[in-house]
């Protein structure tokens, strides 16, 4: 998907963001300089160039390629904002590090964790150095990070960690205790 994210007010003081195949609900206000309450609501396999609220309806533009005819198909979908919850359970994946040289005490960018049912972290040491990684979580989304667990990865090794069912935190990030070349991916179902 090469489309960029869109953020729109879709009802009075109700905001949605569409980014890389997931619709997110956004808060109407920012508190203390932080965005709290971002949560995924639905995954989709559409290209949504834009969306808006028009005459009481949620309207999505659509840009699809039809494999049967080889012709592009464009159109609009009209419905209720709350219909999005029936589109598909939020799921996705993304990387905190991808074959990245990390230094000792270096911290990854935060990665959204809330709103997904099953969460799995995959860690790989990409070179001949072992890695010690601290998984940190921000439970409330207020910038207060807590250590969740320290994970060791053998040289050229792989390990995964499945978070317990129902575990929730708003954000997750990693802090390298040792330097090395690392890949860290989160998978959400």
């Amino acid at each position: 998907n090469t489309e960029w994210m869109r953020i729109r007010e879709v009802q009075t003081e109700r905001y949605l963001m569409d980014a890389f195949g997931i619709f997110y609900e956004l808060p109407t206000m920012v508190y203390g300089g932080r965005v709290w309450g971002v949560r995924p609501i639905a995954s989709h396999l559409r290209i949504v160039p834009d969306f808006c609220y028009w005459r009481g309806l949620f309207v999505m533009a659509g840009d699809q390629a039809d494999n049967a005819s080889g012709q592009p198909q464009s159109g609009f979908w009209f419905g209720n904002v709350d219909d999005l919850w029936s589109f598909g359970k939020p799921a996705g994946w993304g990387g905190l590090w991808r074959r990245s040289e990390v230094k000792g005490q270096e911290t990854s960018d935060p990665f959204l964790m809330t709103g997904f049912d099953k969460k799995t972290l995959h860690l790989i040491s990409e070179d001949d150095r072992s890695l010690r990684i601290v998984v940190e979580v921000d439970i409330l989304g207020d910038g207060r990070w807590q250590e969740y667990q320290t994970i060791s990865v053998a040289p050229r090794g792989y390990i995964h960690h499945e978070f317990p069912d129902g575990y929730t935190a708003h954000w997750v990030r990693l802090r390298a205790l040792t330097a090395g070349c690392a890949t860290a991916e989160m998978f959400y179902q």
Side-chain angles (χ1 to χ4, degrees), residues 97-143:
W97 292 319
R98 173 68 58 102
R99 295 182 190 101
S100 301
E101 281 295 331
V102 294
K103 300 174 184 156
Q105 298 305 317
E106 183 175 340
T107 304
S108 72
D109 289 333
F111 198 82
L112 186 67
M113 185 180 228
T114 193
F116 297 96
D117 290 343
K118 297 187 181 290
K119 305 163 190 77
T120 304
L121 169 64
H122 298 270
L123 289 169
I124 300 171
S125 170
E126 300 281 359
D127 60 21
D128 293 326
R129 295 175 279 184
S130 60
L131 295 171
R132 290 198 60 222
I133 306 292
V134 177
V135 180
E136 298 179 337
V137 292
D138 179 354
I139 302 290
L140 300 175
D142 61 1

Side-chain angles (χ1 to χ4, degrees), residues 14-145:
R14 191 171 184 189
Y15 291 86
L16 288 182
M17 174 176 69
D18 180 31
F20 308 109
I22 299 178
F23 275 105
Y24 297 86
E25 192 169 51
L26 297 177
T28 58
M29 304 183 84
V30 174
Y31 302 96
R34 291 183 169 78
V35 178
W36 291 1
V38 175
R39 70 182 181 125
I41 56 173
S43 294
H44 62 86
L45 295 175
R46 312 171 58 97
I47 296 174
V48 181
D50 214 346
F51 59 92
C52 68
Y53 192 66
W54 178 73
R55 295 188 178 184
L57 294 171
F58 178 69
V59 183
M60 274 192 298
D63 240 349
Q64 306 300 99
D66 182 352
N67 290 336
S69 66
Q71 298 294 316
Q73 305 293 316
S74 297
F76 295 101
W77 180 89
F78 294 83
N80 189 311
V81 172
D82 293 327
D83 292 340
L84 293 177
W85 272 258
S86 67
F87 273 35
K89 184 174 82 165
W93 65 90
L96 296 114
W97 292 319
R98 173 68 58 102
R99 295 182 190 101
S100 301
E101 281 295 331
V102 294
K103 300 174 184 156
Q105 298 305 317
E106 183 175 340
T107 304
S108 72
D109 289 333
F111 198 82
L112 186 67
M113 185 180 228
T114 193
F116 297 96
D117 290 343
K118 297 187 181 290
K119 305 163 190 77
T120 304
L121 169 64
H122 298 270
L123 289 169
I124 300 171
S125 170
E126 300 281 359
D127 60 21
D128 293 326
R129 295 175 279 184
S130 60
L131 295 171
R132 290 198 60 222
I133 306 292
V134 177
V135 180
E136 298 179 337
V137 292
D138 179 354
I139 302 290
L140 300 175
D142 61 1
R144 289 197 242 168
W145 294 93

Side-chain angles (χ1 to χ4, degrees), residues 130-171:
S130 60
L131 295 171
R132 290 198 60 222
I133 306 292
V134 177
V135 180
E136 298 179 337
V137 292
D138 179 354
I139 302 290
L140 300 175
D142 61 1
R144 289 197 242 168
W145 294 93
Q146 301 171 9
E147 287 189 16
Y148 169 80
Q149 186 172 341
T150 300
I151 299 174
S152 296
V153 185
R156 302 237 177 248
Y158 160 81
I159 194 165
H160 78 278
H161 173 76
E162 295 177 23
F163 290 84
D165 287 345
Y167 181 81
T168 187
H170 205 82
W171 300 99

